[in-house]
Every structure is written in structure tokens, then in C-alpha cells.
Amino acid sequence: MYELGDIVEMKKPHACQTNRWEIVRMGMDIKIKCIECQHIVMMPRREFDKKMKKILEKKVSD
């Protein structure tokens, strides 16, 4: 399962042609930030679950 700080790949690439997003907020809604252009998108968790393809990198725990 995904966690705060993970890097995920979505089914459709962003307009900047990058498909790497960092999860920056979790709750009822999930906020993700494009790694390339720093654009932030917020969507309901149910929609995020449908649109997420896979987890690319897990957050490194300190």
C-alpha cells in the first residue's frame, strides 16, 4: 500500500511528459506533486486508487 512520501506512477502521464508523482498529503483526499514541474493535483482517494498504476519508490524511513 502507498504511504506519504512515496513516488508513484499514474496511468496517464502529466502534460510535462513525466509520469512520476510524489504523495504529499493523505486523508479523504490525496494530494500528489509532479516530480518534474512541481504541479500539485488533489483528488479523492477512490479516484486516486483507480488512476494509480504502481509504486515506483517507497519513502526511505529514517
Side-chain angles (χ1 to χ4, degrees):
M1 197 67 178
Y2 49 83
E3 298 175 11
L4 191 65
D6 288 352
I7 307 297
V8 297
E9 180 180 341
M10 303 303 277
K11 289 183 181 174
K12 292 184 179 178
H14 188 236
C16 68
Q17 302 306 313
T18 303
N19 205 358
R20 292 172 59 88
W21 297 83
E22 178 184 0
I23 300 173
V24 293
R25 180 181 179 272
M26 289 180 67
M28 286 296 292
D29 296 322
I30 294 187
K31 191 182 284 188
I32 55 177
K33 179 172 72 173
C34 179
I35 298 294
E36 186 70 26
C37 69
Q38 308 301 308
H39 182 80
I40 293 176
V41 176
M42 192 168 178
M43 65 182 76
R45 186 181 287 258
R46 173 177 255 155
E47 184 181 338
F48 177 80
D49 289 341
K50 286 185 201 172
K51 292 183 175 183
M52 187 185 80
K53 191 172 184 181
K54 63 182 174 182
I55 299 170
L56 299 173
E57 298 173 31
K58 295 295 283 177
K59 179 183 175 190
V60 178
S61 299
D62 293 337

